[in-house]
Amino acid sequence: MEHVHLAGEEEDDYSGFNDYNATLDTDDLEQDENFKKAVLRTSHGRRPPTQAKLGMGAGMPGAQGRLATAARGRMAMPSSMGRPGSGMAVQQDGSARPMTAVRAAGFTSAGNRMGGGFDPLNQASKGPAPPLEPKAEDSPEEKIRHLEKKVNELIEESCLANSRGELQLALDKAKEAGRKERVLVRQREQMSMGDQINLDLTYSVLFNLANQYVVNEMYHEAINTYQVIVKNRMFSNAGRLKVNMGNIYFKQRNFQKAVKFYRMALDQVPNTHKEMRTKIMQNIGITFVKMGQYNDAITSFEHIMSESPTFKTGFNLILCYFALGDREKMRDGFAKLLTVDLKIDDEDKYLAHGDDKQYNLVLEVIKNDSLRQIERERKYEAERCIKYAAKIISPAIESSFSDGYDWCIEMVKNSQYIDLAHDLEIDKAIMFLKQKNFAQAIETLKSFEKKDSKVASTAATNLSFLYFLEADYAQADKYAEVAMTADRYNPSALVNKGNVLYARNDFEKAREFFKEALTNDSSCIEALYNLGLSNKRLGRLEDGIDCFYKLHAILRNSPQVMYQIADIYEQLEDTAQATEWFMQLIGVVSSDPSVLARMGELYDNEGDKSQAFQYYFDSYRHFPSNIPVIEWLGAYYIDSQFCEKAIHYFERASIVQPNQVKWHLMIASCYRRSGNYQKALETYKQIHKKFPDNVECLKFLVRLCTDLGLQDAQEYATKLKKAEKNKELRDQRATSAGRRGSGRGRREGSAGSDLDREGSAGGQGNKASSRRQRARPNFDESDNRGPYQSSQPQEIDASYSDPLGPQAERPKTAARRKDPHEDEFGDEELGEDLLPE
């Protein structure tokens, strides 16, 4: 009942914790003699006392005090057998007995009493540890390691030099790496470390050296290096390098050995590497094509098309069928080509989503990234192979290329490449153009008028070009308008519209259309060139030369552009710049006679007759029928008192223009000046037979016959009087007719001659023309035109869309000349073809 608590009594929650059994009281154990004796007989009693234990007696006020915490924690508890645990052993003299059981660990009573730190290894007496000794750099292992690093650096430098195009430097680095690697191998062998040779490093050195030999076209050395790698059985998969050896033999046109090494490499490539085997098979097929073994090539290509078809392989297969003339195989090959998968995603994923801004931001990033560019390249390659295949087989699979094209177009319409059908139809029109069948070309292109806007714009652009070539400017203008209506941003259509206006001498409006074309496509070189021509015709020479300088930055070695720059500088009377640009032009087209003649003209204007003669002579050498050059050379020899040499040039002029009496008179005059009067008399007689009414010839005949005392003098004098009377009558009729014509012109209010209008349009162009006239000898030139002048302005070239390739809307120019003797660098000439077909 004493442990029963009633509910009403007050209860202490912390009572009872200090109640314990008296047997467990350890406060009086140190005073218990029996306990001490028992402890001394145990191993625990023989241990040295702890520091806290030793200080317990001194630090405590009496034996009745409580143990310190450390000592209390170390106090032994009673054993499991009921025997009290052993405590601290105390010797008879009261000192603590040392603990021998833990002395090996470094715990000594003396050390504890001295207050020293824990030092089990007795390191305190030795002082601080000495610094680490550096490794000797001249040790063999360190030398080998350094040499390996140097070899790797040389290989890397060789590869980088190759990527920069410094092929000789790359080869030198590769050779140096090979030398150091051999030194490294010898050092390992001398140190008996042959088993530690780095085979990967040796392989890298030899492989890089062989590659550098190949790019430097040192094929024999490259073959030897590859042989070293292939014959070493310690290199794994080295047999694949026989493909590289086959490529070298292919470059050397040793096709038999190339096929041999390709097959050896194919045998060493496992079947699991299908892509590698496919590429080797393709090399074998191409080599057979080079050898003319089309049946063997077809076997290789057909195997590839059955395993892993590609557009290139399909196209090569069609070429082999075409070479053998197998129509059915060509059809089958074209059908297989249309089944090749592009392996690209749907184009719809690049369409913008109106509401999803996050998706549109991502789309802006991915629609022109590297993967997107790869997709475009694949698509372009597919289109190119299909178009070229259709061009090749269309004349062979049917009786006419038109029927063949129609079959190809139907096949394309039934395939996944249906978008190419319109391009093939435009290609068909281009083929008609190449065959000079303009009616069929126009009919084919007119069929696109009701198609979608892009195709209609392309067809209308080509139609405008065709009508422009036929000088039907009304139809050319009409279809240029149709092309611009279908696609206002079509630069080719704008260029054609500007060309029509240029041909109508409306240079200001033409200039505006050329500028708009450049706004839509800054890379449209035709628009930039024509804009420069328009500025030149409007007298805006500074603006014109700016256009041609921009074009020169794009087309560095275009002769047309360089000529226009030089010509404008001459019109600006900057002779130094004009001479410099003509010199650059001669460096590009060294055999152009008209450019050489212009250089001679510039030096002649400056008074340097010797330099002028050199350029005129070079021009004559390349084009001996240029009358102004012949005329200048003949006059030069006459001025230099070498009349005999001038005869050769005037004879050439008389051959070119046999109805011009002045060349025959100049030949006779040269004979007369050189003192050969008999030859001069014979020449004058021949001229009189051909031109009996020529007064000048009769005058010289009378004079020569009189001087030589011949009886024919009187006869020729009579003919001379008659000829002079006839000439006076002709002059009178011409004078009266001229007066009547001038009276009518004044009554009609004529604004001026065509020459005046041309001068006003050309601006400063007449200055250059007048200089050219002054530079020529003082002879009648009424029927002659210079190499850069014509009786009427030349037509500017049109442009049309080339349907081949990714830039279907870019214009293409075609050069045209009025005079067969004129050079291609005319004043108003657009230039030669600027886009490849």
Side-chain angles (χ1 to χ4, degrees):
M1 292 297 292
E2 63 182 75
H3 298 291
V4 177
H5 300 281
L6 298 178
E9 297 179 355
E10 183 178 357
E11 184 178 0
D12 186 6
D13 294 335
Y14 298 98
S15 63
F17 288 101
N18 293 329
D19 298 337
Y20 59 92
N21 194 345
T23 307
L24 302 176
D25 186 11
T26 60
D27 292 340
D28 298 331
L29 285 180
E30 292 186 359
Q31 307 301 328
D32 189 349
E33 295 296 334
N34 295 327
F35 178 73
K36 292 181 179 180
K37 291 179 181 180
V39 170
L40 290 175
R41 287 196 293 271
T42 63
S43 61
H44 183 77
R46 293 191 293 271
R47 293 179 181 178
T50 62
Q51 188 71 21
K53 190 71 178 178
L54 292 172
M56 183 174 58
M60 296 180 65
Q64 302 296 329
R66 292 179 61 89
L67 294 174
T69 303
R72 186 181 181 91
R74 295 178 182 273
M75 183 60 66
M77 298 300 293
S79 65
S80 61
M81 299 301 292
R83 189 177 66 181
S86 59
M88 178 173 55
V90 182
Q91 296 182 2
Q92 298 294 330
D93 55 358
S95 62
R97 189 178 63 185
M99 296 174 60
T100 57
V102 293
R103 181 172 295 176
F107 295 97
T108 60
S109 59
N112 290 335
R113 290 193 298 270
M114 293 176 64
F118 177 71
D119 188 13
L121 300 179
N122 196 21
Q123 297 291 331
S125 60
K126 297 181 180 180
L132 296 176
E133 295 181 0
K135 294 183 179 179
E137 295 183 359
D138 56 349
S139 62
E141 294 82 0
E142 190 66 23
K143 287 183 177 180
I144 290 175
R145 192 178 298 108
H146 179 73
L147 197 55
E148 280 188 354
K149 183 178 179 181
K150 182 64 177 176
V151 171
N152 283 314
E153 290 177 354
L154 288 171
I155 294 175
E156 184 176 355
E157 291 175 2
S158 175
C159 295
L160 292 176
N162 190 330
S163 65
R164 295 192 303 267
E166 301 174 1
L167 303 182
Q168 186 59 43
L169 177 62
L171 179 59
D172 294 340
K173 293 290 184 182
K175 288 181 178 179
E176 186 177 356
R179 289 192 294 268
K180 290 189 177 296
E181 194 274 335
R182 288 192 293 272
V183 172
L184 177 63
V185 172
R186 285 197 297 269
Q187 288 188 2
R188 288 187 185 275
E189 292 176 351
Q190 291 174 2
M191 297 174 60
S192 301
M193 298 171 62
D195 55 340
Q196 299 182 9
I197 293 177
N198 192 344
L199 291 177
D200 293 337
L201 183 62
T202 304
Y203 181 88
S204 301
V205 169
L206 292 174
F207 182 68
N208 179 60
L209 180 60
N211 285 336
Q212 303 308 329
Y213 278 135
V214 171
V215 296
N216 283 275
E217 299 182 357
M218 302 172 67
Y219 298 128
H220 182 70
E221 292 81 357
I223 289 289
N224 294 337
T225 307
Y226 279 128
Q227 289 284 7
V228 173
I229 301 176
V230 171
K231 290 181 179 180
N232 193 338
R233 298 185 180 273
M234 299 180 68
F235 297 138
S236 59
N237 299 323
R240 299 184 184 182
L241 294 181
K242 291 181 179 178
V243 177
N244 295 15
M245 300 173 69
N247 292 339
I248 294 174
Y249 285 120
F250 185 89
K251 292 179 180 179
Q252 292 178 330
R253 305 189 66 81
N254 191 347
F255 300 122
Q256 293 287 351
K257 280 194 174 183
V259 172
K260 174 184 175 182
F261 276 91
Y262 286 145
R263 286 177 170 171
M264 292 169 64
L266 186 64
D267 294 338
Q268 297 189 11
V269 175
N271 293 329
T272 55
H273 297 175
K274 291 184 179 181
E275 186 176 356
M276 184 69 177
R277 292 180 63 86
T278 299
K279 291 182 178 180
I280 297 176
M281 288 288 293
Q282 188 171 359
N283 285 4
I284 293 174
I286 293 174
T287 308
F288 279 132
V289 171
K290 290 288 188 179
M291 297 168 64
Q293 301 178 13
Y294 299 111
N295 289 320
D296 295 332
I298 287 172
T299 303
S300 299
F301 292 143
E302 285 180 346
H303 176 75
I304 297 173
M305 291 298 290
S306 62
E307 295 291 334
S308 178
T310 61
F311 284 99
K312 286 185 178 180
T313 305
F315 181 72
N316 291 336
L317 183 60
I318 292 174
L319 289 179
C320 293
Y321 290 147
F322 178 80
L324 295 177
D326 193 337
R327 291 188 176 186
E328 294 301 324
K329 290 289 187 180
M330 279 188 274
R331 293 174 183 267
D332 295 340
F334 190 77
K336 288 181 181 179
L337 186 65
L338 295 176
T339 60
V340 178
D341 188 11
L342 276 176
K343 297 180 181 180
I344 61 176
D345 296 333
D346 191 6
E347 295 287 336
D348 294 339
K349 74 175 183 178
Y350 295 106
L351 298 178
H353 291 187
D355 300 332
D356 193 347
K357 295 183 179 180
Q358 184 67 25
Y359 181 83
N360 292 336
L361 291 175
V362 174
L363 183 63
E364 290 294 328
V365 177
I366 68 172
K367 71 179 181 180
N368 199 30
D369 60 353
S370 57
L371 294 178
R372 175 62 171 161
Q373 292 175 2
I374 292 174
E375 290 180 353
R376 287 178 182 149
E377 290 175 359
R378 286 184 178 179
K379 188 175 180 181
Y380 170 66
E381 179 184 350
E383 293 177 354
R384 186 172 61 89
C385 290
I386 293 172
K387 290 178 181 179
Y388 284 177
K391 277 186 176 182
I392 291 170
I393 69 174
S394 57
I397 60 177
E398 298 290 348
S399 58
S400 65
F401 91 93
S402 179
D403 296 336
Y405 248 109
D406 292 338
W407 181 87
C408 293
I409 291 170
E410 288 299 323
M411 292 295 296
V412 171
K413 287 182 178 179
N414 296 326
S415 69
Q416 58 181 326
Y417 305 102
I418 188 173
D419 296 337
L420 290 178
H422 295 315
D423 292 341
L424 287 178
E425 291 184 17
I426 292 180
D427 288 351
K428 180 182 175 182
I430 301 301
M431 291 296 293
F432 281 126
L433 285 178
K434 291 183 177 180
Q435 294 181 357
K436 308 296 184 182
N437 193 346
F438 296 103
Q440 287 290 338
I442 292 173
E443 181 182 353
T444 304
L445 292 173
K446 283 184 177 180
S447 64
F448 289 95
E449 292 184 13
K450 297 181 180 180
K451 298 293 179 64
D452 59 90
S453 60
K454 182 178 180 181
V455 177
S457 177
T458 304
T461 301
N462 291 337
L463 284 170
S464 176
F465 160 76
L466 288 175
Y467 283 119
F468 188 90
L469 291 182
E470 294 178 351
D472 190 349
Y473 300 128
Q475 289 293 326
D477 191 14
K478 171 187 172 182
Y479 283 101
E481 291 288 349
V482 171
M484 289 190 298
T485 303
D487 184 7
R488 183 66 186 184
Y489 298 99
N490 184 356
S492 301
L494 294 169
V495 169
N496 284 344
K497 177 66 175 179
N499 288 347
V500 172
L501 294 172
Y502 190 100
R504 293 173 176 173
N505 294 329
D506 193 350
F507 305 116
E508 192 63 45
K509 288 185 179 180
R511 179 173 175 270
E512 295 301 324
F513 278 100
F514 294 143
K515 290 175 68 176
E516 185 177 355
L518 284 173
T519 303
N520 295 335
D521 183 7
S522 59
S523 62
C524 184
I525 55 178
E526 292 83 5
L528 187 57
Y529 187 93
N530 292 353
L531 178 61
L533 290 181
S534 300
N535 288 325
K536 181 179 174 183
R537 294 300 298 270
L538 290 169
R540 301 175 179 176
L541 300 181
E542 296 294 341
D543 294 339
I545 204 168
D546 289 341
C547 294
F548 291 121
Y549 265 118
K550 291 177 183 178
L551 198 57
H552 180 68
I554 301 172
L555 307 174
R556 297 298 302 177
N557 293 322
S558 173
Q560 290 87 353
V561 177
M562 298 173 71
Y563 167 77
Q564 293 296 342
I565 294 174
D567 186 62
I568 292 177
Y569 271 127
E570 185 180 4
Q571 293 186 25
L572 292 172
E573 299 184 359
D574 191 346
T575 307
Q577 286 290 339
T579 304
E580 180 181 351
W581 278 98
F582 275 125
M583 289 294 293
Q584 294 183 25
L585 181 57
I586 290 174
V588 176
V589 282
S590 58
S591 60
D592 187 270
S594 299
V595 177
L596 293 169
R598 288 293 296 273
M599 280 296 297
E601 179 182 325
L602 286 174
Y603 281 112
D604 187 26
N605 293 335
E606 293 179 356
D608 192 346
K609 295 292 184 180
S610 60
Q611 280 287 74
F613 169 75
Q614 184 63 44
Y615 283 107
Y616 273 120
F617 181 78
D618 291 340
S619 176
Y620 172 79
R621 185 164 52 88
H622 293 294
F623 184 36
S625 300
N626 193 344
I627 293 298
V629 174
I630 295 174
E631 189 176 8
W632 191 94
L633 289 171
Y636 173 79
Y637 279 116
I638 290 176
D639 292 341
S640 303
Q641 304 299 323
F642 294 102
C643 299
E644 298 87 352
K645 293 185 178 180
I647 294 173
H648 168 73
Y649 297 101
F650 292 127
E651 287 178 347
R652 171 69 65 174
S654 65
I655 295 173
V656 177
Q657 295 179 346
N659 295 325
Q660 287 290 326
V661 66
K662 67 177 181 179
W663 308 123
H664 302 279
L665 291 174
M666 289 304 303
I667 295 172
S669 176
C670 290
Y671 282 126
R672 182 172 55 82
R673 293 187 182 191
S674 61
N676 193 346
Y677 298 108
Q678 189 63 37
K679 188 69 176 177
L681 180 61
E682 294 177 1
T683 305
Y684 280 124
K685 288 181 179 181
Q686 293 175 1
I687 297 172
H688 177 64
K689 289 180 181 180
K690 193 172 184 179
F691 304 97
D693 294 333
N694 188 270
V695 177
E696 296 294 329
C697 178
L698 289 171
K699 286 182 179 179
F700 284 111
L701 280 173
V702 171
R703 184 182 302 175
L704 282 175
C705 290
T706 302
D707 293 341
L708 296 175
L710 300 178
Q711 298 178 356
D712 297 336
Q714 186 62 35
E715 179 184 356
Y716 288 123
T718 304
K719 292 181 179 181
L720 176 60
K721 292 179 181 180
K722 184 178 178 181
E724 288 178 345
K725 288 181 181 179
N726 292 334
K727 183 179 179 182
E728 289 178 1
L729 291 175
R730 287 195 301 268
D731 292 342
Q732 290 177 359
R733 294 193 194 101
T735 302
S736 60
R739 289 175 180 174
R740 288 194 298 269
S742 62
R744 285 197 303 269
R746 285 191 295 272
R747 286 192 300 271
E748 294 172 0
S750 175
S753 65
D754 293 338
L755 183 60
D756 295 335
R757 288 196 296 272
E758 178 66 22
S760 63
Q764 301 181 24
N766 289 331
K767 296 181 180 179
S769 300
S770 62
R771 287 197 302 272
R772 293 171 194 166
Q773 296 293 336
R774 289 195 303 270
R776 296 171 186 165
N778 189 17
F779 296 132
D780 183 14
E781 298 178 16
S782 58
D783 294 334
N784 300 320
R785 291 189 300 219
Y788 293 93
Q789 293 178 336
S790 59
S791 59
Q792 57 183 351
Q794 291 183 343
E795 293 180 359
I796 188 171
D797 297 319
S799 60
Y800 72 96
S801 298
D802 189 358
L804 299 180
Q807 300 174 346
E809 294 297 324
R810 283 196 66 179
K812 180 178 179 181
T813 61
R816 298 183 66 228
R817 290 196 289 267
K818 284 288 185 180
D819 194 321
H821 298 301
E822 289 182 1
D823 190 75
E824 61 179 353
F825 310 124
D827 282 343
E828 292 83 32
E829 198 163 4
L830 186 59
E832 58 185 8
D833 292 353
L834 296 174
L835 288 181
E837 294 187 2

